[in-house]
Amino acid sequence: GAGVSQSPSNKVTEKGKDVELRCDPISGHTALYWYRQSLGQGLEFLIYFQGNSAPDKSGLPSDRFSAERTGGSVSTLTIQRTQQEDSAVYLCASRKQGTSGNTIYFGEGSWLTVV
Amino acid sequence: SQQGEEDPQALSIQEGENATMNCSYKTSINNLQWYRQNSGRGLVHLILIRSNEREKHSGRLRVTLDTSKKSSSLLITASRAADTASYFCATGGGGSYIPTFGRGTSLIVHP
């Protein structure tokens, strides 16, 4: 696609439920990132995929969070047993493989509200 | 931990004035990037400056980088109401392909 696509745009879920957030990166971009942004805060790195390498999961806040990337393209971020503190905007970004200075392109985010 | 930190946290100016935002970071970098975010949604890349560059221009944007002070500034000249947004710096390098972001500067430009 023309840009990074995320779905759903908005999700309201009950505490304790599982949620899945989807990211479709720009075609040809091999690097994919998930960030989280709480209200009025900066971006918190969650996980990074690069090609066929093992993902960097160092930013995942707990074992309730997981992500996968199928076929080197679409990625799904799963949050199990959601808690109210999980409420945030979840941003996905992708980058074309090359130098580390390449720009990363963000999707519009998925706003998650846990009630 | 967040490497880049923007200053000030909030800035309110009149249309036509210049807006200056600063970013400080802690470790060595290969490049520094500035992004803009409207309404808490996706970030849009504005400009990248490499560690061997001191100044870069793009339209009404001017970015400086002082690696000795580990700081960067973003200047928006002749601001417009449409420039109202949050601005973030992101650092990358030292082998890291994971840009780290600060908390951002919230800019309000009054018409």
Side-chain angles (χ1 to χ4, degrees), chain A residues 1-70:
Chain A
V4 178
S5 178
Q6 291 188 246
S7 61
S9 298
N10 293 282
K11 175 73 175 179
V12 180
T13 190
E14 292 181 350
K15 177 181 174 181
K17 300 282 189 182
D18 297 352
V19 296
E20 286 189 350
L21 307 176
R22 176 189 167 104
C23 174
D24 198 344
I26 294 172
S27 178
H29 283 198
T30 58
L32 186 147
Y33 305 79
W34 282 98
Y35 288 86
R36 175 170 74 173
Q37 185 180 29
S38 300
L39 188 63
Q41 299 298 309
L43 275 70
E44 175 188 5
F45 164 73
L46 298 178
I47 189 169
Y48 164 57
F49 295 90
Q50 172 58 283
N52 295 321
S53 302
D56 183 334
K57 303 179 182 180
S58 60
L60 295 178
S62 77
D63 58 9
R64 296 186 296 105
F65 288 73
S66 63
E68 63 177 18
R69 190 177 184 192
T70 54

Side-chain angles (χ1 to χ4, degrees), chain A residues 9-10 33 35 37 41-43 45 48 50 56 89 91 95 98 100-104 106-111, chain B residues 2 30-31 33 35 37-38 40-45 48 50 88 92-93 96-104:
Chain A
S9 298
N10 293 282
Y33 305 79
Y35 288 86
Q37 185 180 29
Q41 299 298 309
L43 275 70
F45 164 73
Y48 164 57
Q50 172 58 283
D56 183 334
V89 177
L91 293 162
R95 176 176 60 83
S100 61
N102 278 8
T103 301
I104 65 172
F106 282 85
E108 288 300 300
S110 292
W111 184 276
Chain B
Q2 293 184 329
N30 288 345
N31 63 77
Q33 304 185 44
Y35 286 80
Q37 184 182 39
N38 288 352
R41 289 296 187 174
L43 280 72
V44 175
H45 179 258
L48 178 151
R50 300 190 187 281
F88 294 85
S96 168
Y97 285 38
I98 303 173
T100 55
F101 292 81
R103 298 183 187 275

Side-chain angles (χ1 to χ4, degrees), chain B residues 6-21:
Chain B
E6 295 86 353
D7 169 67
Q9 290 187 10
L11 183 59
S12 181
I13 60 175
Q14 294 296 126
E15 207 167 30
E17 294 180 338
N18 296 341
T20 300
M21 291 159 270

Side-chain angles (χ1 to χ4, degrees), chain A residues 101-106, chain B residues 6 19 21 32-38 42-49 56-63 73-77 82-90 101 105 107:
Chain A
N102 278 8
T103 301
I104 65 172
Y105 296 87
F106 282 85
Chain B
E6 295 86 353
M21 291 159 270
L32 186 144
Q33 304 185 44
W34 284 91
Y35 286 80
R36 166 194 168 124
Q37 184 182 39
N38 288 352
L43 280 72
V44 175
H45 179 258
L46 294 176
I47 194 165
L48 178 151
I49 186 165
K56 200 162 183 180
H57 297 254
S58 177
R60 293 184 297 112
L61 304 180
R62 173 178 168 251
V63 169
S73 67
L74 171 66
L75 169 67
I76 304 174
T77 60
D83 294 330
T84 295
S86 291
Y87 292 82
F88 294 85
C89 66
F101 292 81
T105 291
L107 172 66

